[in-house]
Amino acid sequence: MPPQPSSPFPDFIYGTAWKEDRTAALTELALRMGFRGIDTANQRRHYFEEGVGHGLAAAYNAGIVTRDDLFLQTKFTYQPGQDHRLPYDPAASLSIQVAQSMASSLDHLATDHVDSYVLHGPSSNHDWTDADAEVWEAMRQERDAGRTRLLGVSNVSRRHLQHMAADRAELPAFVQNRCYARLGWDRAVRSFCHDHKIVYQGFSLLTANQEVLHHPLIASLTGASLAASANATPAQVVFRFAHSLGILPLTGTTNPEHMKQDLTSRDIELPPEAVQAIEALAG
Ligand SMILES: NC(=O)c1ccc[n+]([C@@H]2O[C@H](COP(=O)([O-])OP(=O)(O)OC[C@H]3O[C@@H](n4cnc5c(N)ncnc54)[C@H](OP(=O)(O)O)[C@@H]3O)[C@@H](O)[C@H]2O)c1
C-alpha cells in the first residue's frame, strides 16, 4: 500500500526504542522500506531521540521522504522513568518540564511540530492524579500552540481513562499500550477507546504473546488453509489480526526482511471467523 500523506496517521508505526547507536541507520532503513510513522520518546534511558533526528535527516537528504510525508510521535516522560540524562530541569514545575521536553524533542527531530505527543505513563498505576492533570493541561497548551497536532496517553488502564472522563479532561486521540493476548488483547481498554473514538496503538504484539505465535491455530492460518496468505508467517498473522481489530500496531524490528513482512501483513486475507478465533484464544 503506498504512503498516504494526507491521512492523519499511518496504519503501521516503526518504534525506535532500544536501538542506541543503530537508531539513525534503522530509522532511515525503516523509511526506505516504506514506514511513514515513527515513534520515539525524549527518554534517553530507552530511546535515542537525537539519533532518530539523524535518521530523518538522512532520509530527507536521500530524497526518500519529506517531513510532510511523516507522522512523528514522541513522548513526555516523568522523572522516575528517566535516568540522569533529563530533557528538563527536574526542579521546575511539571508544566515547565513539559515545555522544556517538547522544545528538546523538536530540536532533536529538527521540526517545528510533531504529529502526536504522548504522556509516556501516568504518575500512578491506579489513578489519574493531579500531577497527570497538570501535565495533560501543559500538553494541551503545546497542542494549542501548534507544536503537536494530536495528543496521546500510554501505559494506561481503563480506570485511568474513566477517571479522565469523569474529570471532564479532554480525552486523548491515541492510547498506546502493551497488548497482551491473555487480557483479551487489552479488551477493556480497547472497548473504551472504541466507544470514545480513540485510536488504540498496540506494542509488544509479538514479544508479549509468544504463546499465541506458537499456537496451532496461528500455524494453520499461515498455511494452505488461506490461499492468499499461503506464505504468511505467524508474526504477519498477528499483525494482520491486530489491524482487523482496529489496532494501530507498532513494530521495532531491526531486520529489513521483517520490516517488509510487517508492512505486507496488511495485505493478508483473514476471514472474520479467524479474527474471532484468535481474539478468543487467550483471555
Ligand atoms: N509506550 C511505551 O511504554 C512503550 C514500551 C515499549 C515499546 N514501545 C514502542 O513500541 C515499539 C515496539 O516495541 P515492541 O515492544 O513491540 O518490541 P520490538 O522492539 O518491536 O520487538 C519486536 C520483536 O519482534 C521481532 N519481529 C518483528 N517483526 C518480526 C517478524 N516479521 N518476524 C519475526 N520476528 C519479528 C523483532 O526481532 P527482529 O529485530 O529480529 O525482527 C523483535 O525481537 C518500540 O520501539 C517503542 O517505540 C512503547
Side-chain angles (χ1 to χ4, degrees):
M1 196 183 292
Q4 298 165 3
S6 59
S7 75
F9 50 86
D11 59 9
F12 225 120
I13 296 181
Y14 184 69
T16 61
W18 311 302
K19 298 186 167 50
E20 291 298 324
D21 291 353
R22 300 176 71 197
T23 301
L26 286 168
T27 300
E28 183 188 356
L29 180 64
L31 296 172
R32 255 182 216 284
M33 299 304 286
F35 285 92
R36 294 295 177 261
I38 300 289
D39 178 80
T40 184
N42 208 344
Q43 181 204 33
R44 190 61 191 86
R45 181 179 175 182
H46 294 305
Y47 296 78
F48 183 21
E49 194 182 50
E50 201 175 355
V52 173
H54 295 155
L56 297 176
Y60 299 152
N61 288 337
I64 301 164
V65 287
T66 67
R67 169 67 185 89
D68 289 346
D69 296 326
L70 299 183
F71 173 88
L72 299 181
Q73 175 167 275
T74 190
K75 311 185 191 86
F76 171 79
T77 312
Y78 280 113
Q79 192 182 353
Q82 304 269 11
D83 61 17
H84 61 284
R85 294 166 291 181
L86 292 169
Y88 45 69
D89 174 2
S93 69
L94 288 170
S95 306
I96 299 288
Q97 288 182 22
V98 169
Q100 291 178 346
S101 191
M102 172 62 105
S104 160
S105 287
L106 297 181
D107 189 42
H108 289 157
L109 301 172
T111 184
D112 62 1
H113 74 284
V114 290
D115 298 280
S116 168
Y117 200 45
V118 174
L119 172 56
H120 210 151
S123 61
S124 147
N125 285 338
H126 304 289
D127 294 311
W128 182 253
T129 64
D130 290 347
D132 299 323
E134 179 182 345
V135 164
W136 192 238
E137 178 53 29
M139 290 173 65
R140 276 168 33 88
Q141 286 178 20
E142 294 298 317
R143 191 267 319 277
D144 292 348
R147 288 187 281 274
T148 182
R149 286 198 297 120
L150 299 162
L151 295 174
V153 292
S154 182
N155 298 302
V156 288
S157 62
R158 185 179 173 97
R159 182 182 156 98
H160 284 123
L161 294 166
Q162 285 172 328
H163 199 152
M164 282 182 91
D167 276 2
R168 296 179 186 271
E170 177 178 326
L171 291 176
F174 298 108
V175 161
Q176 183 185 102
N177 266 7
R178 182 166 278 122
C179 191
Y180 288 105
R182 64 176 176 274
L183 299 180
W185 305 88
D186 210 6
R187 187 179 287 118
V189 172
R190 284 191 300 110
S191 83
F192 184 97
C193 290
H194 177 267
D195 292 347
H196 294 83
K197 299 195 168 33
I198 297 168
V199 175
Y200 179 96
Q201 300 181 7
F203 62 84
S204 302
L205 281 157
L206 305 183
T207 49
N209 302 310
Q210 289 296 313
E211 75 285 9
V212 171
L213 282 169
H214 297 109
H215 196 281
L217 171 68
I218 301 292
S220 75
L221 293 169
T222 61
S225 61
L226 283 177
S229 63
N231 297 316
T233 66
Q236 285 181 303
V237 172
V238 169
F239 282 129
R240 180 68 189 101
F241 159 75
H243 270 121
S244 301
L245 284 191
I247 294 174
L248 170 52
L250 287 104
T251 176
T253 177
T254 55
N255 175 321
E257 190 54 37
H258 289 168
M259 287 184 186
K260 208 183 304 172
Q261 289 176 0
D262 294 355
L263 286 172
T264 53
S265 69
R266 298 173 297 195
D267 305 327
I268 295 169
E269 279 175 32
L270 204 57
E273 314 83 74
V275 175
Q276 277 166 17
I278 300 172
E279 192 180 6
L281 255 187

